[in-house]
Amino acid sequence: VNIGALLFLFTLCCLAKVLQNQRHLSNIPPGPRPWPIVGNYGGFLVPSFLRRRFRRGGGAVKNAIVLLTDQANIYGNVFSLFVGSQLIVVLNGYEVVKDALSNHADDFSDRPDIPTVSIMTKRKGIVFAPYGPIWKKQRKFCHSVLRNFGLGKLTFEPCIQQGLATVKTELLRLNEESASRGVDLAPLIRNAVSNVICSLTLGQRFHHEDREFSALLDLMDRGLEICVNSAAVLINVFPFLYHLPFGVFKELRQVERDITVFLKGIITKHKETLDCENPRDLVDMYLIEMMAQKTTGQEDSSFTEDYLFYIVGDLFIAGTDTTTNSILWTLLYMVLYPDIQEKVQTEIDEVVGRHRVPSLTDKGHLPFTEATIMEVQRLVVVVPLAIPHMASKTTEFRGFTIPKGTVILPNLWSVHKDSTQWDEPDIFNPQRFLDDEGKLFRKECFMPFGIGRRVCMGEQLAKMELFLTVASLLQAFTFRLPDGKLPPPLHGRFGLTLAPCPFTVCVSTRGGVL
Ligand code: HEM
């Protein structure tokens, strides 16, 4: 009936050939007994047309994270499972995650070669690049560009503020138009956040109704959707399927081509208009670095146009959904906890007033606002299992042998729910980040951006965006659910990151500057 079903059966048969690998490993961490052929979580390999039958709403994967965390109660904080014949070790709780990513940083900082991801990224760029000197150089360069943008004349703040002004105007307009239905904040916030990445990398902002820009964002979404949630997951078992001339396989190649044309076009325009004395953005800086390395005779330099292309893609993918969803979750919690929303607003009124918009210089003076954002990030970990790590060599870890090539999943969600570190971890309580004098204090076990060598490269930028957006929107508006509407379920929807289930809000203005 269905090509997908045939492929699935084919996959099961061929997986048998790798089954024996599971048996040769000794002293690996304990874990549930793997099923023949598919391992413990064969479901990951099942295409969506079959999975949909068993899935209720978008909560299934979130529940899988709860399930993984629960397995730690049975097998301990370091446990193993198999997907097919691939050994995966899940790290749970603060002590274990910190031990692995800080004390064994050199052993556990590689990334696995996941065929769908490798096909899309060629293992270049930063996010999925193998741990080694090339990744290190590229990351160091991009990190320094991000820092320069944050501090120098090309600072992020005006760029973020400009996006927020548009969000507020649009929000007001849509709120008036929608009457009691409420406004979906997601497209507005997503556009503002993507525009920050656009300004940083491509030196240009796009209007939220710009067709080319919306098309690019849609293409990226579609590419991810295909890789994560369609028969294309079978490419992870049989990479040759990528070349099939039909269905999602064909579509995936087309999406890849369209993204390439868009981004390469922008890089070409940058080359034509480059002024080395006045770099406009990351692409300019990278092109200048490329030329500098050529003139100093570094023939084997990894700084190439090709690499630049994948870095730009990485920044879009790593920097858009994560930040958008963190902002949306914070606004959702404000709707659900109106008393906290009011407390944040009171603090903003006292420190900033209503006649100017909040700026980054206010950040240190708004501890309750910051604590509220952090508490939402603690409770809702938008990248709950970080990005998969891989052991680059066989390593002894906490009495177990972790063979080279093992996929390591640091369960950040479990760290934020670790009852040895947090009182009543399931309760939403911003106060936990404040001391007796109301001052903010940092806890090491708070790690929404991960830790160690692969810690999020955009952490500082994301924090700026989160703070300015939340402070600015709560200064201008009070958010509530439309009358008679139930709140969305809090398990969220898991794509590449954990997003809130769709919700709409009504806003009332609070007077003052918009
Ligand atoms: C990696 C979280 C925003 C760029 C990561 C990781 C996490 C994370 C958990 C994986 C760490 C690991 O593998 O151990 C977040 C959250 C964000 C956010 C919660 C927003 C609230 C951003 C932004 C950018 C960015 C705005 C870009 C400007 C990256 C990059 C990596 C990464 C490039 C890969 C680092 C590497 O492999 O060396 N992020 N991120 N992120 N993030 Fe973010």
Side-chain angles (χ1 to χ4, degrees):
V1 199
N2 189 318
I3 294 272
L6 288 175
L7 285 175
F8 180 55
L9 287 176
F10 182 41
T11 308
L12 288 184
C13 297
C14 295
L15 270 173
K17 73 178 190 289
V18 286
L19 180 64
Q20 61 269 42
N21 293 358
Q22 295 178 5
R23 308 279 165 231
H24 292 317
L25 304 167
S26 63
N27 196 32
I28 60 169
R33 184 186 278 267
W35 286 27
I37 303 169
V38 291
N40 304 98
Y41 287 84
F44 286 150
L45 300 173
V46 179
S48 63
F49 68 94
L50 286 175
R51 246 188 294 158
R52 238 176 264 133
R53 290 168 146 246
F54 304 104
R55 195 171 49 183
R56 266 190 246 116
V61 181
K62 173 71 192 295
N63 291 341
I65 294 158
V66 179
L67 207 94
L68 282 184
T69 309
D70 288 347
Q71 298 280 310
N73 295 330
I74 306 171
Y75 299 103
N77 276 339
V78 186
F79 71 85
S80 65
L81 45 90
F82 286 89
V83 171
S85 66
Q86 174 63 56
L87 173 63
I88 297 182
V89 167
V90 186
L91 307 175
N92 297 274
Y94 169 63
E95 291 297 340
V96 167
V97 170
K98 188 183 160 213
D99 189 10
L101 301 187
S102 304
N103 303 338
H104 293 79
D106 274 334
D107 307 332
F108 294 149
S109 293
D110 209 350
R111 296 283 192 215
D113 179 358
I114 304 168
T116 39
V117 175
S118 302
I119 284 166
M120 297 299 276
T121 65
K122 309 287 177 286
R123 306 199 80 200
K124 294 181 178 172
I126 293 167
V127 181
F128 291 102
Y131 180 64
I134 296 183
W135 161 82
K136 202 169 174 182
K137 275 189 201 152
Q138 299 288 334
R139 179 175 161 126
K140 194 170 165 207
F141 175 79
C142 292
H143 209 191
S144 79
V145 172
L146 278 172
R147 258 204 317 273
N148 287 342
F149 268 92
L151 301 172
K153 60 179 175 163
L154 293 166
T155 160
F156 287 121
E157 185 160 359
C159 166
I160 300 172
Q161 299 284 18
Q162 201 182 335
L164 286 173
T166 313
V167 170
K168 287 191 263 186
T169 319
E170 279 299 298
L171 187 50
L172 264 186
R173 184 179 68 78
L174 294 170
N175 192 54
E176 267 165 36
E177 276 175 14
S178 76
S180 54
R181 271 178 293 117
V183 180
D184 178 3
L185 294 168
L188 294 177
I189 301 291
R190 181 170 179 252
N191 184 70
V193 169
S194 324
N195 255 324
V196 173
I197 300 286
C198 266
S199 305
L200 157 74
T201 50
L202 311 176
Q204 62 190 109
R205 296 185 66 79
F206 293 91
H207 187 265
H208 67 283
E209 278 163 5
D210 182 292
R211 295 220 331 255
E212 218 184 349
F213 178 50
S214 305
L216 173 69
L217 294 184
D218 289 347
L219 274 174
M220 288 189 166
D221 272 2
R222 183 64 193 138
L224 289 173
E225 173 69 18
I226 294 175
C227 287
V228 173
N229 215 2
S230 79
V233 290
L234 294 176
I235 295 172
N236 291 321
V237 188
F238 299 112
F240 70 86
L241 294 178
Y242 170 73
H243 301 284
L244 290 184
F246 52 77
V248 284
F249 308 102
K250 184 176 169 195
E251 192 187 349
L252 184 62
R253 289 197 306 279
Q254 187 58 47
V255 166
E256 201 190 338
R257 269 197 298 273
D258 291 347
I259 295 176
T260 308
V261 168
F262 186 95
L263 292 183
K264 291 224 158 136
I266 289 196
I267 294 175
T268 307
K269 268 190 219 150
H270 272 70
K271 274 174 33 189
E272 288 163 3
T273 53
L274 181 66
D275 170 2
C276 293
E277 299 304 315
N278 292 300
R280 295 157 290 190
D281 50 41
L282 182 135
V283 173
D284 276 359
M285 291 188 187
Y286 198 99
L287 291 171
I288 295 168
E289 180 68 20
M290 263 169 60
M291 291 191 296
Q293 298 217 356
K294 249 194 205 136
T295 37
T296 54
Q298 299 183 45
E299 287 306 324
D300 61 344
S301 166
S302 60
F303 282 74
T304 61
E305 246 183 77
D306 197 31
Y307 237 97
L308 170 59
F309 166 78
Y310 289 105
I311 285 177
V312 171
D314 265 6
L315 293 179
F316 267 98
I317 291 186
T320 310
D321 265 16
T322 45
T323 315
T324 303
N325 289 333
S326 303
I327 294 170
L328 289 174
W329 277 113
T330 309
L331 295 174
L332 175 59
Y333 269 81
M334 294 303 92
V335 167
L336 301 178
Y337 292 84
D339 53 325
I340 304 284
Q341 175 169 196
E342 202 182 320
K343 230 173 142 181
V344 172
Q345 287 170 326
T346 306
E347 186 182 64
I348 296 170
D349 286 349
E350 281 169 11
V351 175
V352 184
R354 299 206 189 163
H355 300 295
R356 65 171 178 88
V357 290
S359 83
L360 286 176
T361 51
D362 297 314
K363 204 164 178 266
H365 307 289
L366 293 169
F368 190 76
T369 308
E370 279 226 70
T372 302
I373 296 169
M374 287 163 78
E375 177 63 348
V376 175
Q377 284 194 290
R378 183 194 67 81
L379 209 51
V380 186
V381 190
V382 295
V383 196
L385 298 174
I387 297 169
H389 288 230
M390 190 180 78
S392 47
K393 66 177 191 357
T394 300
T395 306
E396 293 303 312
F397 179 66
R398 295 178 93 90
F400 302 112
T401 304
I402 314 284
K404 179 179 176 178
T406 303
V407 173
I408 311 281
L409 296 182
N411 186 348
L412 301 180
W413 194 84
S414 75
V415 175
H416 285 186
K417 299 283 160 121
D418 186 337
S419 56
T420 65
Q421 304 295 320
W422 308 95
D423 284 338
E424 301 186 301
D426 293 324
I427 306 285
F428 177 60
N429 174 20
Q431 210 65 40
R432 69 172 84 243
F433 286 103
L434 299 173
D435 65 15
D436 292 343
E437 292 167 19
K439 287 198 185 118
L440 195 72
F441 69 92
R442 318 238 159 232
K443 284 176 75 96
E444 265 199 19
C445 49
F446 175 67
M447 48 176 84
F449 299 96
I451 53 166
R453 304 267 203 275
R454 290 285 190 164
V455 66
C456 173
M457 200 183 73
E459 177 172 355
Q460 296 314 323
L461 171 60
K463 283 180 177 167
M464 286 181 212
E465 290 189 83
L466 265 165
F467 170 78
L468 286 174
T469 310
V470 171
S472 226
L473 292 182
L474 289 182
Q475 179 199 44
F477 305 112
T478 296
F479 292 81
R480 64 174 173 79
L481 285 177
D483 292 336
K485 269 240 166 135
L486 290 175
L490 283 180
H491 53 56
R493 279 179 309 146
F494 198 85
L496 203 65
T497 60
L498 190 63
C501 294
F503 67 100
T504 60
V505 291
C506 291
V507 297
S508 40
T509 46
R510 303 184 66 240
V513 68
L514 270 182

